[in-house]
Every structure is written in structure tokens, then in C-alpha cells.
Amino acid sequence: MKITIIGTGYVGLVTGACFSEMGANVTCIDVDVNKIENLKKGVLPIYEPGLEKMVLSNYRDGLLKFSTSLSDAMKNSNLFFIAVGTPPGEDGSADLKYVLEVAAEIGRNIESYSVIVDKSTVPVGTADKVSKAMKEQIDKRGVEIKFDVVSNPEFLKEGAAIVDFMKPDRIIVGADTDQAKKIMQRVYAPFSRNRDKIIFMSVRDAEMTKYAANSILATKISFMNEISNVCERLGVDVENVRKGIGSDSRIGYSFIYPGCGYGGSCFPKDVKALIRTSIECGFDPALLKAVEYRNEMQKKNLSQKIFTRFGNDLSGLCFGIWGLSFKPGTDDMREAPSIVLINDLVKAKAAVRAFDPVAMDEAKKTFPAKWFDTGKIVLTDQQYDALENADAMVLLTEWKSFRQPSFSSMEELMKQKIVFDGRNQYDPAELLEAGFEYHGIGR
């Protein structure tokens, strides 16, 4: 089977690599010449465990190719996955500019029946817009060519995307014709060998399923963060509450960990987009608005704790930060709580020393260059170097290497023995016994 993937970002590259791993001939297309040339050299634009090895292996074997020419790729393919970005607009709606540009280009070059798959996360009704954009171009050519537009949303967790794709819980396919369903059944057959994981539904149902899935997970996180704030004011340890409610099989333990807010490329964007979609169809999404509001407030939680402890003017103080990415297993810093905290610290005249196992390069792109040039932010090569002369350590990302720190090493390096645990990774009793002052979330 020959597959064309348009877009070599997170979703496109993982999708292309995994399809090629199962023996399909895949061509990944991108308009960014430098990105394509780097991919041909084995330089990936993102960090994802296991992805580099898979890309290099299948590129070497000729199963995975990279190109900037969609029209050339279309000569040998009739299955196209659109995996370009859908950045949020100022009003929170998903910007479909790139999706529709790809649809128009396919319409200008399509020669025979094809299936066009919306892999990007897009609002309900996008498939109709893709179909319209293609048909307009086909009509201009004065030809009649049949095609189907399918919705096949991704459910990839950053840091575990390869496993999620290769061993999916479910494969959602929104298709309106038997011909399109057969093609999608065939392309996903290698991923459904032990049981049929494909769930067929209408295109609009599939588009909504993606937004609903991410929004309910975001809701669980914001709910638990809300409870953590109540617990803190009542002298209750939220971690015991979490264990107590998580033991109920109707609730479960997933996504009920209190912390400093969710981030990344999915939850913030998708909640905003669903809020906007709801408003546009005449419904007031009160719950979704509350989920978003709580998350924004939760990202300020650690800043508020620090200002309460040290005052609003942090001149002369240094904070050692462990973790910059929004979650472990990725270098993604989009909407990360670290951005909010570091901005607050620097604006309050504090010095920041920070370490992350993989997100250091992203940090350099995220914060102003002058902050690095003037020493307001120092990125260290080792995690304990970030604690040198620090007045407090702040944990923001629960990387495994941060989970059992050496208290003696911390004591030797830090000016003050104070820990702000933004992910409730540490046992307060152990830190207190070692002479540290502890500040957690809801504890």
C-alpha cells in the first residue's frame, strides 16, 4: 500500500513512521525545505522515544520517503493523510488555513478515486469544508473525479506515541461510504490483528469524538486541581483523597493527579476549540469554560506560593527548576506551566537556573534571548547544577530522574533548603525529616 502523509510535525511523522514500520510505502510531504532535508539526513524536528530509530530504519530500507512535492507524490498514491497544524485563532477556534490549502492542492492534482483522511484535530464540519475545497478545484479543471473524505483522529500521548499508534486502544474512523471503509480497514489491518479495534461512525461523529476525548481528560485534571485547592485550605492531604477516590472503578486513577496545570499541543487548544464550537452553535459551555479557567489559574499556583513565602520582590533570590517540558517523555513546551512560572520569577527580578533532560533547546526558543544573555535564566548541563546557590528548588515536570533526589547533594548546593513540589512527587515527611521546608499542591 502506498500512503502519502502531508505534514511532518508530531502527528504526521509518527503516523508515517508507524505505517512504514508495518510495510507500507510512505511519502511524507512538507513545505519546509530545511525540515525535509534534515529528515533525509536523519535529523528529526521533535523528540519522541523510539521515533528516531524507526524513521532512520525505514528511510534506509526505502519504505519511508520525504519530499516537498505533493503533486509528485500523488502520481503513485490514492490515500492521503492530512496532518498539518491547526493552531488556535485569537477567538480559540481552530485555524483551518493549512488544512484547506492542502485540500485545494489535492483537488488541483487528483487523477483518480482517492481517500483523503483528516488526521489533524479539526472541528466538526471540517470534512465538509475539505470536500468543498477539493471539489472547487476539480470543477475548475472541468473533470469529474470521485473521492471520499474520512475523519481519522489521532489519540497519541506525547512520550508514548509509538506505542499508542502500534498498539492502539481503538481506531476511530469516520467514513460515509463502503469503499472508503474498506480502504481504511485495509490500512489499519496490521494494527488490529488480535481483535478488531476499528470503530466506524459518521465523519462528524469522529470529528466530535476527538474533542470530547481530550476535553473529558482535561476536565478530570482541572477537577482534581480544584479539589487540591479546597484540600489545602482545609488542612487535608489531597494525595490521600486521590487514592481514596481513584480506588473506585467508576473513577479510576488516570488523570486525577493534582499539579500545576496541563499544557502541550492538545488539551489547551482542543478545549478552547470546543468552547468556540459550542458558542457558535448557540450553546453556552459552562463546564468547559470552568475547566479552562481552573487550568489557567492552576498555572499560577506555584508563583503565588513563592510570592507568599518570599514576597513579591524576588531580587537577589535564585530558583533552581527541574523540568521545563509540559510532561515527561517529550521536549514540547507549548502551554507548559514552566513558561508561566519562569516569566513570573524573572519579572519579579529573580534569577533562574533550570534543567530538563530533553527540552533545553526548546527553552532557548521559548524565552527572550536577552534573558539568557544577561544571566536571568541559566540552563545547566546537569540536574543538580541547577540547584547551585538556589534559595529554592521547584519541580515542574515529573521526569523519572527527578523522583528520588539526593537530599545530601541538594543540601550541599542550595542556599536555603526549600522545595516547591509542583507535581506532588515527594513525600513531605521525608523532606521535613531531612531538614527541608516543603510546599506541595493541596498538601
Side-chain angles (χ1 to χ4, degrees):
M1 179 167 280
K2 295 183 178 179
I3 301 170
T4 300
I5 313 283
I6 302 99
T8 59
Y10 184 82
V11 174
L13 194 55
V14 170
T15 300
C18 290
F19 276 144
S20 66
E21 182 74 4
M22 289 300 194
N25 283 283
V26 179
T27 301
C28 289
I29 307 294
D30 204 292
V31 295
D32 189 330
V33 176
N34 290 332
K35 184 185 286 188
I36 291 298
E37 290 304 313
N38 281 334
L39 283 167
K40 290 178 178 178
K41 297 173 184 175
V43 179
L44 276 60
I46 58 170
Y47 172 80
E48 178 64 33
L51 181 60
E52 182 178 16
K53 180 181 178 181
M54 188 176 287
V55 168
L56 294 178
S57 172
N58 287 291
Y59 179 71
R60 183 189 63 237
D61 294 342
L63 290 171
L64 182 61
K65 303 178 180 65
F66 301 103
S67 174
T68 57
S69 177
L70 176 56
S71 59
D72 287 346
M74 290 185 67
K75 296 174 184 176
N76 300 303
S77 176
N78 293 97
L79 180 58
F80 307 96
F81 284 77
I82 301 177
V84 295
T86 54
E90 292 183 5
D91 61 357
S93 61
D95 187 347
L96 299 178
K97 173 185 175 183
Y98 303 117
V99 171
L100 297 180
E101 284 179 355
V102 171
E105 186 172 356
I106 293 175
R108 286 191 291 269
N109 293 280
I110 190 172
E111 294 293 343
S112 59
Y113 173 80
S114 300
V115 172
I116 293 81
V117 183
D118 283 336
K119 197 69 176 171
S120 303
T121 300
V122 293
V124 175
T126 297
D128 296 334
K129 295 179 181 179
V130 168
S131 182
K132 181 181 177 182
M134 287 185 59
K135 193 171 186 312
E136 286 176 353
Q137 297 302 320
I138 293 171
D139 289 346
K140 286 180 181 179
R141 295 163 54 194
V143 296
E144 186 174 333
I145 302 172
K146 292 184 178 181
F147 63 87
D148 280 308
V149 179
V150 168
S151 176
N152 174 220
E154 52 85 15
F155 296 95
L156 307 177
K157 298 186 295 292
E158 293 192 47
I162 298 298
V163 174
D164 286 345
F165 200 103
M166 301 297 283
K167 299 178 180 180
D169 295 323
R170 77 291 204 198
I171 300 166
I172 302 295
V173 176
D176 294 331
T177 70
D178 290 338
Q179 189 172 5
K181 290 177 182 178
K182 287 179 181 178
I183 290 174
M184 295 303 290
Q185 188 97 47
R186 183 185 170 202
V187 75
Y188 277 113
F191 305 92
S192 305
R193 292 187 64 82
N194 64 339
R195 64 177 175 86
D196 188 4
K197 298 178 182 178
I198 300 178
I199 302 174
F200 285 112
M201 57 184 71
S202 77
V203 173
R204 294 172 74 87
D205 292 350
E207 290 171 336
M208 186 62 179
T209 298
K210 169 64 175 181
Y211 278 109
N214 278 351
S215 293
I216 197 169
L217 295 177
T219 298
K220 291 184 72 174
I221 295 170
S222 281
F223 173 81
M224 204 64 209
N225 283 333
E226 184 110 321
I227 293 298
S228 75
N229 281 274
V230 178
C231 287
E232 193 164 318
R233 286 157 177 78
L234 293 175
V236 173
D237 188 339
V238 72
E239 286 300 311
N240 288 328
V241 175
R242 176 185 66 79
K243 294 172 185 175
I245 65 175
S247 61
D248 186 328
S249 61
R250 297 170 301 173
I251 299 171
Y253 291 103
S254 299
F255 292 88
I256 61 168
Y257 290 87
C260 46
Y262 60 76
S265 63
C266 294
F267 289 5
K269 177 171 69 72
D270 292 353
V271 170
K272 284 183 173 68
L274 189 51
I275 288 173
R276 185 63 190 175
T277 296
S278 302
I279 292 171
E280 287 176 351
C281 70
F283 178 75
D284 180 21
L287 177 59
L288 292 174
K289 288 179 179 178
V291 168
E292 182 184 32
Y293 174 78
R294 169 48 49 211
N295 191 57
E296 293 305 309
M297 292 301 98
Q298 198 68 16
K299 289 182 181 180
K300 305 288 287 186
N301 186 290
L302 287 176
S303 301
Q304 291 166 355
K305 290 180 184 295
I306 289 171
F307 292 140
T308 298
R309 174 62 177 79
F310 293 104
N312 292 329
D313 185 352
L314 302 179
S315 300
L317 296 176
C318 176
F319 293 85
I321 293 178
W322 280 2
L324 296 168
S325 58
F326 85 94
K327 62 178 283 189
T330 179
D331 61 351
D332 195 343
M333 285 186 61
R334 284 173 289 184
E335 302 277 351
S338 63
I339 297 174
V340 175
L341 177 65
I342 290 175
N343 275 319
D344 286 347
L345 293 178
V346 171
K347 288 175 183 176
K349 301 179 182 179
V352 172
R353 295 175 65 83
F355 172 80
D356 188 283
V358 301
M360 305 291 260
D361 288 339
E362 286 302 311
K364 293 173 185 175
K365 302 173 190 175
T366 301
F367 299 106
K370 62 181 180 181
W371 287 5
F372 297 102
D373 296 339
T374 57
K376 292 180 179 178
I377 301 177
V378 174
L379 301 178
T380 64
D381 293 331
Q382 303 293 332
Q383 71 181 70
Y384 287 99
D385 291 346
L387 304 184
E388 186 175 343
N389 294 318
D391 292 280
M393 184 272 267
V394 186
L395 177 76
L396 291 177
T397 315
E398 60 276 32
W399 287 94
K400 290 179 180 178
S401 59
F402 300 158
R403 292 183 182 178
Q404 288 189 315
S406 166
F407 296 151
S408 59
S409 296
M410 293 170 65
E411 184 175 3
E412 289 176 8
L413 292 164
M414 298 173 67
K415 272 197 292 187
Q416 300 190 63
K417 296 165 64 176
I418 303 173
V419 171
F420 290 88
D421 183 0
R423 298 295 180 183
N424 284 1
Q425 289 295 295
Y426 304 132
D427 183 346
E430 286 187 6
L431 281 162
L432 293 172
E433 186 178 344
F436 284 82
E437 181 181 317
Y438 178 84
H439 301 268
I441 303 293
R443 316 181 79 172

